[in-house]
Amino acid sequence: MSSSRNVRKLQVLSPVPADIDIANSVEPFHISEIAKDLNLSPNHYDLYGKYKAKVLLSVLDELEGSADGYYVVVGGITPTPLGEGKSTTTVGLCQALGAFLDKKVVTCLRQPSQGPTFGIKGGAAGGGYSQVIPMDEFNLHLTGDIHAITAANNLLAAAIDTRIFHESTQSDKALFNRLCPPNKEGKRSFSDIMFRRLKKLGITKTKLEDLTPQEVQKFARLDIDPDSITWRRVMDVNDRFLRKITIGQGPEEKGKLRETGFDISVASEIMAVLALTTSLADMRERLGKMVIGNSKAGDPITADDLGVGGALTVLMKDAINPTLMQTLEGTPVLVHAGPFANIAHGNSSIVADKIALKLVGPGGFVVTEAGFGSDIGTEKFMNIKCRYSGLMPQCAIIVATIRALKMHGGGPEVVAGKPLDHAYTTENVALVEAGCVNLTRHISNTKAYGVNVVVAVNMFSTDTEAELNAVKNAALAAGAYDAVVCTHHAHGGKGVVDLGIAVQRACENVTQPLKFLYPLDISIKEKIEAIARSYGAKGVEYSEQAEKQIEMYSRQGFSGLPICMAKTQYSFSHNAAEKGAPTGFILPIRDVRASIGAGFIYPLVGTMSTMPGLPTRPCFYDIDLDTATGKVIGLS
């Protein structure tokens, strides 16, 4: 690729300017040029303006017989609240591989929610001289996928409450007649989606008039238990006042009051479905299988039972196509899906990775990022995402910073928005060495999957050579394939060429097949306990509610699904204040829930907020539009 005209040489400045200023200083290539580098012709994608395009799934069909490139996942050590630069490292590495090492490469990233963009965290396009551009388009509406998820999610929410309302006011016969009205010729028949419910009920009849009164009742009356409903409405904005609401207060709703709430859109199960689906047909099945609650008899009620699975798929038909963008140095990026990393698996989509692996081909590289530390993101990448995709990574990167290692070694608390303590900006090799216990556990956990582990030390200006050497030595002693100091934030791809070389060697020399942490055919509890042991726990404690849910999901036939632990990202344990590599603790499971359509059970370790709030001074104070140029200013 370096010989192509689409590699951009960066003019780096010191000190590093603001992210948005760097992003705005570069004129992106027309996205058709980036597509051409990947041998994509115009019939392989739909343009969304000049700098974005949706790559069509037909590309996968065309390239079905061709070999894949190397597959690399980027995780990290247990982070500080400031983050340790996984996205930046992912982007920088790809810039090094494509613009400096002449490799075909695609970066696969999650689409960020607009909540943090206007809230406390800012955007998620990388940073410094390792960014995806245009940064404002990446962090805002992109190509509308999250809006499609919002619409689909809320259509299903509306269908649930409407069905309860109509069932409460009609007899079985009236309900049945309205669900199956006569057509223009006066004939009544089942719609196609209704045969899914009939099959589920074990009814093989195809004509309405053949159903017995008992079968009519079973078919027409879902009898949803309002207290069992887990499906909530969503919006892509941080709004704490929607966490708990009462619906049905209008006079026409006849007193059908119900307590519910809103989640942020990326917490919707539909987002997790998008990320884990493998084809349009697979997405249709997953959307239809989503369970919204139970009947009063304790049977799971699905989107297809409500007759809405097909309509959800129609709303999501364009969202299944990944969005092609570019890095600052002109290397291609596929942005697709952005599920929560606690109640969901926190990885970008399977379809983007599959397309990318075919496009780069043998000797090329696909680099994707897993949310949070490796104990959560990489674990879910391996045990959930790779199980459904059938893909096998050759290399896993663990991003570490001196700052986070000092915190794990016993340094003072790191608080977002407050100046760093003196301990983090002056040399303290002993503190770094003490904190390397965290890195060591992440390395051994990740190596257990059979991949080669490369540690990327994301260097800050206050880090010293002695501190950096201490990390490299500890990483190699713990079994890392290599450990490399990286300066991609300040220098772009040029600052991570050594990491690119190390990753290439790691991929070429992998010797083992992928090994999962647990088999699927053991019990839900045995799977939970296998993951808990990887955290350092000596046992698991289940609340009464968790026991009840495990029993219910096992009875309903869902015990064969993988496990997606919803746990704090700030510690191996359930206690965010426990740094380093804690052992001997009991992991408490407060509740157990399920995303049946997406395909996982998620135990809750502690309380998880699925609707963030805004701080006193949100990021939106800094965001505006330069009305003379039309450029966005103040995005971080």
Side-chain angles (χ1 to χ4, degrees):
M1 274 179 66
S2 66
S3 56
S4 101
R5 60 201 175 94
N6 292 331
V7 166
R8 183 185 295 104
K9 294 294 179 223
L10 293 177
Q11 303 297 314
V12 301
L13 303 176
S14 182
V16 179
D19 289 351
I20 189 75
D21 295 336
I22 294 173
N24 283 341
S25 72
V26 170
E27 181 64 33
F29 295 115
H30 194 284
I31 202 64
S32 60
E33 296 297 319
I34 302 296
K36 201 184 293 176
D37 273 350
L38 291 170
N39 297 320
L40 290 170
S41 62
N43 61 331
H44 290 136
Y45 57 85
D46 290 334
L47 289 171
Y48 279 67
K50 290 187 285 187
Y51 307 124
K52 303 187 297 278
K54 282 267 194 193
V55 180
L56 305 177
L57 294 195
S58 55
V59 170
L60 266 183
D61 300 327
E62 282 187 38
L63 296 173
E64 195 177 0
S66 58
D68 290 349
Y70 292 122
Y71 194 26
V72 180
V73 61
V74 179
I77 63 168
T78 306
T80 70
L82 306 177
E84 310 319 307
K86 283 199 316 296
S87 300
T88 312
T89 305
T90 304
V91 174
L93 169 61
C94 292
Q95 291 181 172
L97 286 165
F100 290 87
L101 295 172
D102 202 23
K103 302 296 176 189
K104 267 206 152 183
V105 64
V106 174
T107 317
C108 287
L109 291 178
R110 290 178 292 169
Q111 180 186 352
S113 163
Q114 286 180 170
T117 300
F118 294 108
I120 200 165
K121 186 173 171 284
Y129 286 102
S130 295
Q131 291 188 58
V132 179
I133 54 171
M135 175 206 181
D136 55 337
E137 295 185 31
F138 179 86
N139 281 313
L140 298 174
H141 307 284
L142 198 65
T143 46
D145 294 357
I146 293 179
H147 301 317
I149 288 163
T150 304
N153 184 100
N154 294 343
L155 177 63
L156 179 51
I160 295 164
D161 290 298
T162 301
R163 185 60 172 261
I164 294 171
F165 171 76
H166 288 306
E167 285 192 19
S168 71
T169 57
Q170 297 176 54
S171 67
D172 295 345
K173 191 178 177 190
L175 195 60
F176 185 58
N177 288 341
R178 287 196 173 96
L179 286 169
C180 306
N183 62 17
K184 287 173 185 172
E185 287 80 45
K187 287 184 177 172
R188 297 172 60 222
S189 60
F190 294 115
S191 61
D192 286 347
I193 199 168
M194 290 176 175
F195 288 108
R196 291 173 180 251
R197 175 152 178 82
L198 290 167
K199 186 180 177 186
K200 176 181 171 179
L201 295 170
I203 300 170
T204 55
K205 298 165 185 175
T206 56
K207 292 181 178 173
L208 280 80
E209 54 270 23
D210 293 344
L211 267 63
T212 66
Q214 289 79 10
E215 288 170 337
V216 165
Q217 183 189 40
K218 274 171 74 179
F219 168 78
R221 200 165 288 283
L222 300 182
D223 203 24
I224 297 167
D225 176 3
D227 294 335
S228 76
I229 297 170
T230 51
W231 198 265
R232 289 152 60 93
R233 287 156 174 84
V234 299
M235 65 190 309
D236 198 32
V237 173
N238 291 1
D239 190 346
R240 68 174 69 240
F241 285 93
L242 291 177
R243 287 171 181 166
K244 196 170 187 179
I245 61 167
T246 304
I247 58 170
Q249 296 197 49
E252 295 82 10
E253 280 61 66
K254 300 179 183 169
K256 289 288 163 207
L257 293 178
R258 185 169 74 82
E259 264 196 6
T260 180
F262 273 78
D263 295 330
I264 196 156
S265 295
V266 292
S268 171
E269 182 177 348
I270 296 175
M271 176 62 94
V273 166
L274 178 66
L276 287 171
T277 196
T278 53
S279 67
L280 200 53
D282 177 66
M283 183 171 75
R284 169 66 187 88
E285 293 308 309
R286 287 175 183 268
L287 291 171
K289 283 195 300 193
M290 294 188 304
V291 172
I292 59 88
N294 297 327
S295 69
K296 286 172 185 163
D299 298 317
I301 302 294
T302 67
D304 273 346
D305 287 329
L306 285 154
V308 75
L312 301 181
T313 311
V314 169
L315 285 170
M316 293 293 294
K317 72 177 177 63
D318 295 323
I320 198 174
N321 299 315
T323 300
L324 181 64
M325 294 187 76
Q326 64 191 286
T327 66
L328 285 169
E329 299 192 56
T331 61
V333 180
L334 284 177
V335 187
H336 203 213
F340 254 39
N342 48 34
I343 64 158
H345 64 294
N347 282 261
S348 61
S349 79
I350 286 173
V351 292
D353 290 1
K354 285 194 158 188
I355 289 170
L357 285 163
K358 295 295 183 198
L359 291 176
V360 299
F365 292 83
V366 172
V367 185
T368 188
E369 179 199 342
F372 292 165
S374 298
D375 55 321
I376 301 176
T378 304
E379 183 271 308
K380 293 175 181 181
F381 171 85
M382 302 291 186
N383 292 305
I384 300 175
K385 186 176 179 180
C386 289
R387 253 192 236 273
Y388 283 123
S389 70
L391 299 171
M392 185 193 141
Q394 287 77 35
C395 173
I397 293 169
I398 298 175
V399 178
T401 60
I402 300 295
R403 174 177 73 196
L405 291 168
K406 284 180 174 178
M407 177 189 72
H408 289 297
E413 190 181 3
V414 176
V415 181
K418 288 189 180 176
L420 278 174
D421 188 275
H422 185 63
Y424 294 105
T425 53
T426 52
E427 182 171 283
N428 190 332
V429 176
L431 203 57
V432 174
E433 287 174 338
C436 280
V437 291
N438 184 270
L439 173 62
T440 296
R441 184 178 293 169
H442 282 295
I443 292 169
S444 59
N445 278 359
T446 307
K447 268 191 78 176
Y449 294 108
V451 294
N452 282 330
V453 175
V454 175
V455 173
V457 188
N458 185 15
M459 183 181 169
F460 289 66
S461 57
T462 52
D463 300 343
T464 69
E465 194 171 342
E467 290 173 329
L468 296 165
N469 284 336
V471 181
K472 285 165 70 175
N473 292 337
L476 295 171
Y481 186 84
D482 208 342
V484 184
V485 175
C486 306
T487 60
H488 45 281
H489 186 272
H491 302 118
K494 191 177 181 181
V496 263
V497 168
D498 288 348
L499 178 65
I501 293 167
V503 165
Q504 182 179 348
R505 283 178 41 244
C507 287
E508 288 168 351
N509 292 296
V510 75
T511 55
Q512 302 177 62
L514 180 61
K515 295 195 287 275
F516 296 121
L517 185 59
Y518 54 83
L520 288 182
D521 58 2
I522 57 175
S523 71
I524 292 173
K525 280 190 174 181
E526 287 171 308
K527 285 182 264 200
I528 291 172
E529 285 150 22
I531 298 170
R533 283 192 296 275
S534 77
Y535 299 154
K538 71 174 181 188
V540 177
E541 185 178 82
Y542 301 91
S543 71
E544 197 180 321
Q545 168 70 5
E547 292 276 11
K548 194 178 87 180
Q549 293 292 100
I550 289 169
E551 189 277 324
M552 182 188 76
Y553 290 132
S554 301
R555 188 182 71 246
Q556 292 176 342
F558 301 135
S559 62
L561 293 173
I563 300 295
C564 183
M565 296 287 258
K567 176 186 80 72
T568 177
Q569 71 266 40
Y570 295 121
S571 171
F572 270 111
S573 80
H574 55 285
N575 178 2
E578 280 198 64
K579 303 304 180 187
T583 55
F585 57 92
I586 302 291
L587 193 75
I589 305 295
R590 184 176 65 83
D591 198 357
V592 177
R593 297 182 193 158
S595 291
I596 301 301
F600 52 77
I601 305 274
Y602 63 98
L604 298 175
V605 184
T607 318
M608 295 293 142
S609 172
T610 48
M611 172 54 90
L614 291 169
T616 307
R617 191 192 184 283
C619 294
F620 61 59
Y621 273 90
D622 300 313
I623 297 170
D624 212 327
L625 197 68
D626 181 332
T627 53
T629 63
K631 285 197 168 177
V632 174
I633 50 178
L635 267 185
S636 62

